[in-house]
């Protein structure tokens, strides 16, 4: 497990419960789930290949960037991934499959279009462009691989939207409609595990739930579920470019047999709200 953060730790815990031997690799491997063997190493370091276990069967690259700037993104998603793949590809017995957590930021559609794995990728910023570069390196590897393009990840510890509604701080731009795509952390980890264990897996999969939802609908649903005030409407920024977002399809993920634990934001946020109740 290269990068045992928010999604990686949840995934590692699931494999431990399966009885698998799990190694978590990080520069400072602290707070790993029980049963995970810690391995301190720099993904971009020159000695990475020499410290990796020799009998790896599945490798998950779930590292996160230290920041949002281009340098941090390139270090995490291009340099680190390429370094890891270089080390694995040189082995007499490489792993069976490498899985990489990519992002729906690779898409540039912003008029509410539906997108899937075959849709054009014309990212408007460095985040999406760097993810595409990382995907290209992964796809060029002789090792079988899967890039899972995840939507916005929420779940335990990531409840900022829910809490903003509960506290009455959430607002909506009047007359602005914007679609959002998300996936619960447990489904992000579950999808990675599912794809890893398939006999044959698609090389590219969208990791989102069943319902791309308009932001206003999500906020109003949360307000009703939490018995909180409806989000206040504010005037939109007159200088902002029109952006209705995109709607991501998860049909391919579903076709592989994966069953979402939280099919829409309603089930996911309802579970989070219950966890907070006294």
């Amino acid at each position: 497990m290269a990068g045992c953060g928010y999604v990686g730790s949840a995934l590692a815990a699931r494999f431990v419960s399966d009885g698998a031997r799990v190694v978590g690799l990080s520069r400072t491997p602290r707070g790993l789930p029980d049963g995970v063997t810690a391995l301190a190493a720099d993904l971009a370091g020159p000695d990475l290949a020499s410290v990796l276990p020799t009998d790896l069967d599945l490798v998950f690259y779930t590292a996160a960037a230290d920041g949002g700037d281009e340098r941090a993104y390139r270090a995490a998603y291009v340099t680190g991934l390429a370094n890891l793949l270089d080390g694995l590809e040189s082995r007499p017995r490489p792993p069976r499959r490498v899985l990489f957590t990519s992002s729906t930021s690779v898409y540039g559609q912003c008029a509410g279009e539906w997108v899937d794995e075959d849709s054009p990728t014309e990212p408007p910023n460095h985040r999406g462009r760097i993810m595409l570069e990382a995907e290209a390196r992964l796809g060029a590897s002789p090792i079988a691989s899967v890039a899972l393009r995840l939507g916005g990840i929420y779940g335990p510890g990531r409840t900022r939207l829910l809490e903003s509604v509960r506290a009455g701080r959430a607002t909506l731009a009047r007359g602005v409609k914007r679609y959002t795509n998300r996936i619960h952390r447990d489904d992000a980890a579950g999808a990675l595990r599912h794809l890893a264990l398939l006999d044959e897996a698609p090389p590219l999969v969208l990791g989102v739930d069943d319902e791309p939802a308009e932001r206003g609908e999500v906020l109003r649903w949360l307000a009703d579920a939490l018995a909180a005030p409806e989000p206040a409407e504010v005037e939109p920024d007159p200088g902002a470019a029109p952006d209705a977002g995109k709607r991501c399809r998860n049909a391919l993920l579903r076709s592989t047999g994966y069953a979402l634990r939280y099919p829409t934001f309603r089930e996911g946020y309802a579970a989070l709200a219950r966890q907070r109740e006294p």
Side-chain angles (χ1 to χ4, degrees):
M1 203 76 60
C4 254
Y6 190 58
V7 173
S9 289
L11 176 60
R14 296 188 71 162
F15 272 107
V16 168
S17 69
D18 291 340
R21 182 177 70 92
V22 181
V23 176
L25 186 154
S26 176
R27 283 196 302 267
T28 54
R30 297 187 299 268
L32 297 180
D34 291 342
V36 175
T37 300
L39 178 62
D42 184 354
L43 284 168
D47 59 344
L48 178 64
S50 64
V51 301
L52 291 173
T54 58
D55 56 347
L56 295 172
D57 181 46
L58 296 167
V59 174
F60 298 88
Y61 195 94
T62 60
D66 291 337
D69 61 278
E70 186 165 355
R71 179 206 60 79
Y73 256 62
R74 181 165 296 280
Y77 300 116
V78 175
T79 306
L81 177 62
N83 196 34
L84 178 69
L85 289 172
D86 288 345
L88 296 175
E89 291 164 359
S90 64
R91 298 184 164 195
R93 182 182 176 274
R96 178 163 53 92
R97 185 170 290 154
V98 176
L99 295 96
F100 169 66
T101 49
S102 186
S103 166
T104 57
S105 65
V106 299
Y107 298 105
Q109 290 83 343
C110 62
E113 303 99 323
W114 283 96
V115 301
D116 60 19
E117 291 79 5
D118 295 322
S119 298
T121 50
E122 299 173 349
N125 54 48
H126 70 271
R127 294 187 295 275
R129 290 192 293 271
I130 287 172
M131 283 298 188
L132 280 180
E133 190 176 338
E135 287 183 9
R137 175 62 182 91
L138 182 72
S141 175
I143 304 172
S145 64
V146 178
L148 183 64
R149 290 176 176 169
L150 294 171
I153 304 169
Y154 72 104
R158 289 194 180 181
T159 58
R160 184 173 58 180
L161 185 67
L162 184 151
E163 295 303 335
S164 71
V165 173
R166 193 194 302 272
R169 297 190 304 269
T171 61
L172 284 170
R174 184 175 288 108
V176 174
K177 187 172 186 177
R178 179 176 173 81
Y179 289 100
T180 57
N181 303 271
R182 57 180 54 76
I183 187 167
H184 192 283
R185 180 204 64 183
D186 293 349
D187 278 318
L192 285 166
R193 176 183 176 278
H194 169 77
L195 293 167
L197 298 178
L198 290 176
D199 290 337
E200 294 186 13
L204 177 64
V205 183
L206 267 170
V208 294
D209 67 20
D210 289 346
E211 187 179 334
E214 199 275 317
R215 185 173 183 272
E217 179 186 359
V218 176
L219 293 181
R220 292 186 181 99
W221 184 91
L222 282 170
D224 182 65
L226 298 169
E230 278 219 352
E233 290 194 354
V234 299
E235 291 302 319
D237 180 356
D243 185 357
K246 56 189 174 284
R247 290 179 280 180
C248 297
R249 285 193 178 97
N250 69 0
L252 179 58
L253 176 61
R254 283 289 203 177
S255 74
T256 67
Y258 183 68
L260 287 155
R261 182 175 180 182
Y262 302 102
T264 77
F265 70 87
R266 298 174 191 85
E267 293 86 1
Y269 278 118
L272 291 176
R274 288 193 298 271
Q275 290 173 5
R276 189 182 184 279
E277 291 173 356

